[in-house]
Amino acid sequence: KDSSANKTGKNIFISTQNAEKESVTSAKDGRVANIDGDRYILLNVGQRVETEKATQSVKLSNFAEYGTKVREDYSIDPAQPPPRQISTLVLAAAKTPLFLGELSWRVGLVLTAANLVILALAVSTANPRASRSSNLIFAMFAFIVYYNLVNLGQAWIAGSRVKAVPYLVVLHGGVFLFSLIWLYKRHLGFSVKSLVLRSIHRARSVRKA
């Protein structure tokens, strides 16, 4: 996240693409530096995934330090506070992708907490004969994936790759519906087998009538 000086950050995510290839670079932290009159972003401890569009070949590389040059028209206004320090009302009034990305992250945390409560209720309603560890592993996996998608959405929205409202609706609305359906299924003891048996029973009842 942004620092007070707006020159360093953690959990860096960079996505670039051109006619031949596209790449995704992620790093533990990074900083902005001026080298020989050019502006660079220096990343520490991360990995880079590069995909060739023509052949769909993928190249994965890990690095201890990686530098990438920032375009010439990029600038940082030291007088402007980073998005992390701006109030939610100001972010909501702004229309810039960077502010919308931060706003989507804040709203996403609230929606994530609500959806995880419903998902936890569905997971906790388990069959006594089934293994409890499998539900615990699924809950941990669901949280990790869900939280990473929230962070990934922030980067995509800030980079103008996706719109804020559709992403929030698809991600959080999808998890909400999935959690409700699963909770309803567990509450009624619904399964595909029971559905088939009910259909067969109804068909036999109609024939007898």
Side-chain angles (χ1 to χ4, degrees), residues 31-95:
R31 69 186 188 277
V32 178
N34 290 321
I35 302 176
D36 297 331
D38 294 323
R39 189 183 298 272
Y40 284 82
I41 295 180
L42 303 180
L43 306 178
N44 300 316
V45 187
Q47 65 177 10
R48 177 181 174 89
V49 180
E50 193 172 83
T51 304
E52 295 285 347
K53 292 184 177 181
T55 62
Q56 291 300 311
S57 60
V58 178
K59 178 182 179 181
L60 174 63
S61 56
N62 298 318
F63 57 83
E65 186 176 45
Y66 175 81
T68 178
K69 185 178 179 181
V70 183
R71 65 181 187 270
E72 296 297 332
D73 60 343
Y74 177 82
S75 63
I76 296 177
D77 185 2
Q80 179 181 346
R84 183 63 64 180
Q85 299 179 4
I86 298 177
S87 66
T88 302
L89 293 178
V90 175
L91 293 176
K95 301 299 181 181

Side-chain angles (χ1 to χ4, degrees), residues 14-31:
I14 301 176
S15 176
T16 59
Q17 58 180 332
N18 54 35
E20 289 110 16
K21 63 177 116 177
E22 60 182 9
S23 64
V24 175
T25 307
S26 59
K28 182 179 179 180
D29 54 61
R31 69 186 188 277

